[in-house]
Amino acid sequence: MKAINDVAVAGIGQTEFSKNSGRSELQLAAECVKSALQDAGLTPADVDGLVTYTIDNNEEVDLARTMGMKDINYFSRMPFGGAGAVGTIAQACTAIRAGMAEVVVVWRAMNERSEYRFGQLDATSGMTVGGGGTSDMSWAFDMGAFTPMAWQALNAMVYMERFGVTNADFGRLIVQQRKYAASNPNAYFYQRPVTLEDHQASRWIIEPVLRKFDCCQESDGGVAVVLTSLERARDLKQPPVKVVASHGGGNGSQIATNHYAADLSIASESLVTARNLYAMADLTPADIQVAEIYDAYSCSVFYGLEAFGFCDLGEASDFVRDGHLAIDGKLPTNTHGGLIGEAYIHGLNSFTEGVRQVRKTAVNQVANVENAIVTSGWSAAILSKV
Amino acid sequence: MNNELPLRPAPIRKRDNLFFWDGAKLEELRIQKCNCCGKLQHPPGPMCPQCLETDMGYQVCVGRGRVYSWIIPRYPELPMFSSDLVVALIELEEGVRILSNICDVAHEDIRQGMEVELFFAATQDDGKVPQFRPATQ
């Protein structure tokens, strides 16, 4: 077997993002995978690896059957829900390097607005919708913390206390992300920017941490990515985007739900990922020109900017205030508007934005992109120009 | 006698936390303690992560702690809970952290590090849950 060193993104695809897709989640999955395969110039018969992550209602076998795929040699499903979104890329890279699969498809497709209200309290069961894929949350439910917003805010409050950060500091990030979304036709908030005053007038979801505008959307839609060896990708339709990826953590904790870690003012799991990732890529934060950082909530981006080394601990609010996340800033971030401004396809739509930035096809294109980083909780990837 | 039944949902009982909720009914906050090496842990589990033994007991909390984090859930509304519900992480004097609620205090008076004391609140199905309020001494 020939050794494979480099893996590349060969195709990306998506459906429209909406609040009511009007079709099944399986159809959304099939449509976005079809679009990603067409982008790459491949067919379902070429696919021999399928990777997704927990909290997916679509079974791998149903997708393979729906699209008439042939022999699939590699299946895997990452834990942690959205925090595993980019972990799928690490799984795909590993499978391709090991020769277990040649063409791997990663997808996420959901009707988490029209069919169910993802992350909200189901009053009939007293449980959280879409709660599978998280560690035991019964201790939180017993005390009235039912939503991911409440779980995350318990951590963020410690961060805010330690560094003197206020909700208005989070608001400045939202203004920037909604500005990006306003010029992105795929974004739900296309042409709908907000001011800091609008942000501060939106209602509290979890006081005094998160307002409505601090939270990601609930969206219907699908996103897919096709990966293969860099060598094969060179012969396909699109210019290849080289990828290194990592997922870390492993200390039994889980982002957004770990209320027992020693210090909740830092994202201890992401620090492990960051260290591994930069070592694997032989790069440093200074080599990155654009970042897509998981933004289930505004506060998540603050943790991400610090954990991945773009500013010092406790300095994210100054980094945002100084305009470094803008298109002409030091680190343009969440350039599609993020999960808050574009849509919440569980983090995978931030990965495809990273790919577009390296391909130079993004609507809010950053100049001179050599390397882009995409993070989702404690998994992350660096995408590089070939 | 107060005939009004509590609205608050009963605790979620699982095989590995029964001792905790049985204790709460008796107004004891039981912190899991490994009978072999003495390690305290919360939330409890079926095995001690320090010595890997499964002979697990508990120690009753003296009932004092400090506030580590707190939030006020505003939306979605939780009709089964008090309208001024505060969800908090409390560092118990014994050195473990527990998710609970802070009661009997104005929201603006809550501070990180504030000393709190334990009491219990009734739930549906004759359950009780540990709660905290500002320490009186």
Side-chain angles (χ1 to χ4, degrees):
Chain A
M1 197 179 84
K2 203 168 143 195
I4 294 164
N5 293 318
D6 293 324
V7 175
V9 174
I12 54 174
Q14 65 191 52
T15 66
E16 82 288 358
F17 304 141
S18 75
K19 299 294 176 191
N20 187 356
S21 73
R23 51 209 196 274
S24 72
E25 292 185 310
L26 182 56
Q27 185 172 338
L28 292 177
E31 286 180 19
C32 67
V33 171
K34 177 182 170 182
S35 137
L37 288 169
Q38 285 176 340
D39 184 53
L42 292 167
T43 71
D46 295 307
V47 178
D48 59 356
L50 289 175
V51 177
T52 184
Y53 44 118
T54 51
I55 325 184
D56 193 327
N57 293 322
N58 288 307
E59 289 293 324
E60 293 83 343
V61 170
D62 288 333
L63 178 64
R65 193 178 289 162
T66 299
M67 301 192 72
M69 291 174 184
K70 306 296 181 197
D71 296 340
I72 306 294
N73 299 320
Y74 183 80
F75 292 101
S76 87
R77 194 177 273 235
M78 283 295 291
F80 318 122
V86 183
T88 58
I89 305 301
Q91 292 285 298
C93 290
T94 305
I96 292 165
R97 282 205 185 88
M100 292 183 74
E102 216 179 315
V103 175
V104 176
V105 164
V106 171
W107 82 92
R108 173 58 99 231
M110 53 209 316
N111 281 331
E112 40 118 344
R113 180 61 179 82
S114 66
E115 271 186 45
Y116 43 91
R117 302 293 301 273
F118 191 72
Q120 282 203 8
L121 174 65
D122 174 358
T124 57
S125 70
M127 300 300 269
T128 301
V129 179
T134 67
S135 53
D136 178 16
M137 292 312 293
S138 67
W139 300 96
F141 296 148
D142 288 332
M143 297 302 162
F146 285 99
T147 63
M149 291 81 84
W151 308 338
Q152 181 72 72
L154 274 166
N155 293 38
M157 187 66 182
V158 179
Y159 177 90
M160 294 166 84
E161 283 286 303
R162 177 173 173 191
F163 299 116
V165 170
T166 67
N167 174 261
D169 290 318
F170 294 150
R172 291 182 188 90
L173 169 85
I174 298 304
V175 172
Q176 176 59 61
Q177 289 201 193
R178 290 288 295 268
K179 190 176 172 188
Y180 282 129
S183 52
N184 171 9
N186 287 324
Y188 179 71
F189 288 121
Y190 178 51
Q191 295 179 333
R192 289 160 71 187
V194 293
T195 63
L196 186 56
E197 290 68 34
D198 297 332
H199 173 271
Q200 289 294 290
S202 72
R203 73 172 166 203
W204 284 116
I205 303 298
I206 305 292
E207 191 178 349
V209 183
L210 299 173
R211 294 178 184 274
K212 184 178 179 184
F213 284 8
D214 290 299
C215 301
C216 66
Q217 303 175 46
E218 299 163 279
S219 311
D220 286 10
V223 172
V225 181
V226 178
L227 297 107
T228 188
S229 65
L230 176 60
E231 191 183 345
R232 181 158 182 197
R234 285 185 200 279
D235 299 331
L236 296 175
K237 221 162 114 187
Q238 302 294 337
V241 170
K242 195 176 136 184
V243 49
V244 293
S246 173
H247 52 86
N251 54 2
S253 63
Q254 178 172 27
I255 283 177
T257 62
N258 179 23
H259 300 122
Y260 309 98
D263 184 355
L264 296 185
S265 69
I266 56 170
S268 52
E269 307 89 341
S270 306
L271 287 166
V272 178
T273 308
R275 196 170 61 227
N276 292 344
L277 182 69
Y278 290 126
M280 284 169 69
D282 199 18
L283 294 171
T284 72
D287 299 312
I288 307 290
Q289 289 81 38
V290 56
E292 314 301 341
I293 296 179
Y294 198 84
D295 59 324
Y297 318 103
S298 53
C299 57
S300 322
V301 180
F302 280 47
Y303 277 101
L305 287 168
E306 295 174 13
F308 287 92
F310 296 110
C311 59
D312 286 337
L313 204 55
E315 293 191 352
S317 59
D318 288 344
F319 195 74
V320 171
R321 190 192 295 256
D322 291 346
H324 293 313
L325 272 46
I327 195 79
D328 56 352
K330 217 185 254 180
L331 186 76
T333 296
N334 292 342
T335 45
H336 52 329
L339 310 178
I340 289 167
E342 187 181 63
Y344 186 64
I345 312 299
H346 226 171
L348 208 56
N349 53 316
S350 294
F351 184 80
T352 45
E353 172 67 4
V355 173
R356 287 188 294 265
Q357 287 289 348
V358 177
R359 285 183 178 180
K360 305 203 187 310
T361 58
V363 288
N364 298 311
Q365 182 62 49
V366 175
N368 305 318
V369 175
E370 296 286 325
N371 302 299
I373 192 169
V374 186
T375 79
S376 65
W378 63 5
S379 56
I382 292 174
L383 302 168
S384 306
K385 202 173 91 172
V386 175
Chain B
M1 188 184 148
N2 182 4
N3 287 321
E4 221 175 291
L5 291 170
L7 278 174
R8 185 174 178 129
I12 301 166
R13 291 167 67 89
K14 299 184 175 191
R15 207 154 174 158
D16 291 330
N17 71 22
L18 285 180
F19 78 95
F20 185 93
W21 295 117
D22 287 345
K25 276 192 183 182
L26 305 170
E27 304 212 341
E28 285 182 1
L29 198 175
R30 294 175 174 174
I31 305 168
Q32 191 176 47
K33 184 177 188 177
C34 174
N35 284 334
C36 299
C37 73
K39 183 183 166 64
L40 294 172
Q41 71 167 350
H42 185 85
M47 179 179 278
C48 173
Q50 186 164 276
C51 71
L52 304 188
E53 293 297 336
T54 53
D55 180 12
M56 306 300 278
Y58 62 84
Q59 171 179 325
V60 177
C61 171
V62 298
R64 286 189 300 272
R66 287 176 185 274
V67 175
Y68 181 58
S69 182
W70 74 99
I71 54 164
I72 305 156
R74 293 292 190 199
Y75 184 86
E77 283 171 29
L78 304 171
M80 294 184 293
F81 288 82
S82 141
S83 60
D84 61 352
L85 181 75
V86 176
V87 178
L89 288 166
I90 307 294
E91 304 264 14
L92 298 179
E93 200 170 280
E94 288 80 1
V96 300
R97 196 179 292 158
I98 184 171
L99 241 172
S100 184
N101 302 122
I102 307 178
C103 310
D104 305 333
V105 61
H107 290 156
E108 60 272 23
D109 293 337
I110 303 173
R111 297 282 178 275
Q112 194 176 49
M114 187 170 116
E115 290 183 40
V116 289
E117 65 181 24
L118 174 70
F119 73 104
F120 285 82
T123 73
Q124 296 177 34
D125 302 331
D126 297 322
K128 285 188 180 172
V129 288
Q131 303 280 280
F132 291 84
R133 60 189 166 209
T136 49
Q137 52 191 1

